[in-house]
Amino acid sequence: MNNSMDHESQQKKLISFLPSGKFYFSKAVKAFQQNKLPLAKKYLERANQLEPDDPTIICQLAIVLAEMGDYETANDLLYYILNRIDPDMTECYYFLANNYAYLGKYKEALYHVRTYLYFDPEGEYAEEAQELEEILTMEIGGEEDFLANAGSGEDFWEEFELIELQDEANHLLKEGKIGEAIRLFREIIEKYPRFWPAYNNLALAYFYIGKTDEAEELLEQVLQENPGNLHALCNAAIFSLHEGKPADELASALEKIYPISDDHRFKLGTTLAMLGRHEPAYRWLKSIVKKGYEVDSYLYYWLAYAAHSIGFEEEARHYWETFVRLHPEKKGREPWKTGNFPSPFSGFPRTD
């Protein structure tokens, strides 16, 4: 009888001490602090199973996933919190901004960091958010003036209408519909006269159809009103190269630039490769490939060329094979063998 009671008593004790979601959460936090990310992830997934609607657990799991480089899944979790569980958990916007910044999606990052500051201007991450906002604004470069006042009301959403117009115009340019692209870029400039990416891409469109004077005038206007604009500097250097003008001064200036975003590294690396500055070109283009950044296939063309030019033959072959898989008609036409190069604007990045 006593044994039976003891057994029941022990069983009750065991049941009462079954781990809860909070138990696994605390274990996860400890593992995270010790930089044991896979273990922290395991604990948080278990905690989430036990308490599926706890936004703190899901948010911490998103943070761990971001630390492990799985930014897309982390963002899905953060959106799930905001859309399904707790729309007032504003720190999710700050974490989204960080993740988009790491992904090189600076416009999305800027939108989310400003959303966070709009809803919680004195929040826990306000100081870090303000610093991130400054970095993002500098990185976006040509859009800095236009985006400087976007933060609430109509301006807040107007930014994204503009981005859609810009994307549509870029698509037309890529498809070779130059006339339609030019009309749309002009429309954007008329409506948003300080949106410099539209000027840069309109300059490219003009150059495609041989209107070099108009193209150069646009770049001069951009650089006069927005000095240091990376896309304008790169375009100017390539225009000079294509016309047989000296580009050494511009090339030297470009070599001193240290871009953070993958978009800017792609633009700068491609430009430097075209200008024959192979070592910095290789460095910037290789940094993109390492991160798995998906860009125009001509990234591999110019990376192969830069690698070959500095003596990395094995890498050059590897990147050229990657390029040929995407462009089978180019097989056997390595530029270092034939001496023939594509137009300076084959795969030349536009301004997003």
Side-chain angles (χ1 to χ4, degrees):
M1 185 73 171
N2 288 337
N3 288 339
S4 176
M5 289 180 65
D6 288 343
H7 176 72
E8 289 178 8
S9 177
Q10 289 173 1
Q11 191 176 33
K12 286 179 180 178
K13 287 181 180 179
L14 286 172
I15 292 172
S16 67
F17 283 104
L18 281 176
S20 65
K22 290 181 175 57
F23 170 81
Y24 284 110
F25 179 80
S26 64
K27 297 279 284 184
V29 171
K30 184 176 180 180
F32 180 73
Q33 291 170 343
Q34 295 173 344
N35 201 35
K36 298 177 180 178
L37 298 179
L39 184 60
K41 176 175 176 283
K42 182 178 179 181
Y43 283 138
L44 287 165
E45 288 173 338
R46 180 57 180 152
N48 183 229
Q49 288 174 350
L50 294 170
E51 298 186 34
D53 293 325
D54 188 321
T56 303
I57 292 173
I58 299 173
C59 187
Q60 187 63 44
L61 178 56
I63 292 170
V64 170
L65 289 171
E67 287 292 324
M68 297 175 72
D70 191 356
Y71 301 111
E72 298 289 357
T73 305
N75 284 354
D76 288 343
L77 292 176
L78 293 168
Y79 283 126
Y80 180 78
I81 294 170
L82 292 168
N83 295 331
R84 298 287 190 87
I85 301 177
D86 186 0
D88 294 325
M89 197 170 180
T90 55
E91 59 264 41
C92 291
Y93 291 111
Y94 172 70
F95 297 135
L96 283 163
N98 273 288
N99 292 346
Y100 278 122
Y102 279 113
L103 287 168
K105 297 181 177 180
Y106 276 41
K107 296 168 191 172
E108 291 88 341
L110 187 59
Y111 166 73
H112 285 91
V113 79
R114 285 181 171 164
T115 303
Y116 171 72
L117 289 170
Y118 174 71
F119 285 119
D120 205 356
E122 297 181 359
E124 180 180 356
Y125 302 100
E127 185 175 344
E128 293 91 336
Q130 289 166 1
E131 292 176 1
L132 178 60
E133 181 187 22
E134 290 179 10
I135 293 171
L136 291 169
T137 303
M138 286 189 293
E139 275 302 309
I140 288 173
E143 296 168 62
E144 178 176 355
D145 291 338
F146 174 78
L147 298 177
N149 297 318
S152 61
E154 288 184 21
D155 288 341
F156 189 70
W157 301 109
E158 191 178 52
E159 170 190 341
F160 287 89
E161 177 190 0
L162 171 59
I163 289 171
E164 287 183 3
L165 287 172
Q166 176 79 348
D167 287 343
E168 182 183 350
N170 283 345
H171 179 73
L172 290 170
L173 193 58
K174 186 176 181 180
E175 293 294 311
K177 299 176 181 178
I178 309 299
E180 294 178 49
I182 287 174
R183 283 192 293 275
L184 190 50
F185 284 131
R186 284 174 174 168
E187 180 183 325
I188 293 170
I189 289 170
E190 184 176 353
K191 192 171 183 180
Y192 306 103
R194 298 189 66 78
F195 186 69
W196 307 122
Y199 289 80
N200 285 327
N201 285 336
L202 179 57
L204 280 177
Y206 279 145
F207 210 84
Y208 286 150
I209 61 175
K211 293 187 175 182
T212 56
D213 290 340
E214 290 91 334
E216 290 171 359
E217 285 175 11
L218 281 168
L219 293 186
E220 287 175 9
Q221 181 179 350
V222 173
L223 291 172
Q224 182 177 356
E225 300 192 45
N226 187 230
N229 185 293
L230 177 63
H231 283 270
L233 289 169
C234 289
N235 289 348
I238 297 305
F239 289 178
S240 295
L241 175 69
H242 191 66
E243 293 188 298
K245 298 178 181 178
D248 288 345
E249 188 175 339
L250 275 171
S252 297
L254 289 171
E255 280 193 87
K256 297 175 183 177
I257 295 174
Y258 191 100
I260 297 175
S261 75
D262 289 334
D263 174 65
H264 282 181
R265 290 184 177 198
F266 180 37
K267 180 82 172 189
L268 181 59
T270 304
T271 302
L272 290 170
M274 295 178 188
L275 294 171
R277 304 295 176 102
H278 302 297
E279 289 188 10
Y282 171 83
R283 183 171 68 250
W284 294 127
L285 296 175
K286 182 67 178 287
S287 73
I288 297 170
V289 170
K290 281 183 176 180
K291 294 168 67 176
Y293 181 57
E294 294 183 8
V295 291
D296 190 286
S297 58
Y298 270 83
L299 164 68
Y300 299 105
Y301 180 102
W302 294 108
L303 183 51
Y305 176 57
H308 171 80
S309 299
I310 58 177
F312 295 164
E313 300 294 343
E314 192 65 33
E315 282 193 59
R317 280 194 295 273
H318 168 71
Y319 292 126
W320 184 258
E321 288 170 1
T322 302
F323 176 72
V324 168
R325 282 198 294 272
L326 300 167
H327 296 273
E329 74 281 2
K330 300 293 185 180
K331 186 176 181 179
R333 298 172 63 184
E334 295 91 331
W336 55 88
K337 290 182 179 179
T338 65
N340 296 322
F341 293 88
S343 161
F345 303 103
S346 295
F348 192 52
R350 290 163 293 281
T351 308
D352 290 336

